[in-house]
Amino acid sequence: MAVHTGSAGLIKIGSNTVAEVTAFTMETTADVIESTQLSDTNKTFETSRKSGTVTIEAAWDETDSNGQIVLQEATGVTLLLYPEGADSGDYFYTVPAIVTGNSVAVTMDDLIRLSISCQINGAISRGTV
């Protein structure tokens, strides 16, 4: 069984790596439609449409013009999510998305933090480097 730590993950937009990423989460869901008949003892369901979100956490870097600066609300992007890194044979996800929000947090004695929210906008694909 292969396990990985979170120290190698990264996000790219095209060939550009988003700077200072500290965490990311991709959450996917599938809608279901109840198909239970009146005479059924147990409920049954059919699968329907899929959707999801991506959240990116980073240390704020105002000079990252090809990464963080691109990820502005209402912007359509294709995110490349590399959970285990970008070495040969590593898996990655290609995720079409719309940026839905940005949050900047400033706390005394800490780095300025950026949180970026995205709505997945279509089908996700998984490939290898």
Side-chain angles (χ1 to χ4, degrees):
M1 179 173 130
V3 296
H4 303 278
T5 64
S7 61
L10 57 103
I11 297 174
K12 291 185 179 186
I13 301 171
S15 62
N16 301 306
T17 301
V18 178
E20 307 298 337
V21 172
T22 58
F24 65 87
T25 303
M26 179 175 68
E27 182 177 350
T28 58
T29 60
D31 294 338
V32 293
I33 302 167
E34 186 173 348
S35 58
T36 308
Q37 304 301 308
L38 285 174
S39 60
D40 291 345
T41 302
N42 296 302
K43 287 186 174 186
T44 57
F45 298 87
E46 304 300 321
T47 59
S48 184
R49 296 184 179 110
K50 298 185 277 185
S51 66
T53 58
V54 174
T55 303
I56 302 166
E57 304 293 335
W60 188 53
D61 182 352
E62 76 280 8
T63 67
D64 184 23
S65 60
N66 295 317
Q68 290 185 17
I69 302 302
V70 172
L71 296 170
Q72 297 300 311
E73 52 282 340
T75 301
V77 295
T78 299
L79 301 171
L80 304 173
L81 306 178
Y82 297 81
E84 59 183 317
D87 296 326
S88 180
D90 288 346
Y91 283 99
F92 71 98
Y93 298 93
T94 302
V95 183
I98 297 171
V99 179
T100 57
N102 281 285
S103 175
V104 177
V106 180
T107 306
M108 186 172 61
D109 297 331
D110 196 3
L111 298 175
I112 298 173
R113 304 287 179 181
L114 174 64
S115 181
I116 302 161
S117 303
C118 304
Q119 175 67 51
I120 295 173
N121 188 29
I124 299 167
S125 63
R126 187 175 98 160
T128 56
V129 178

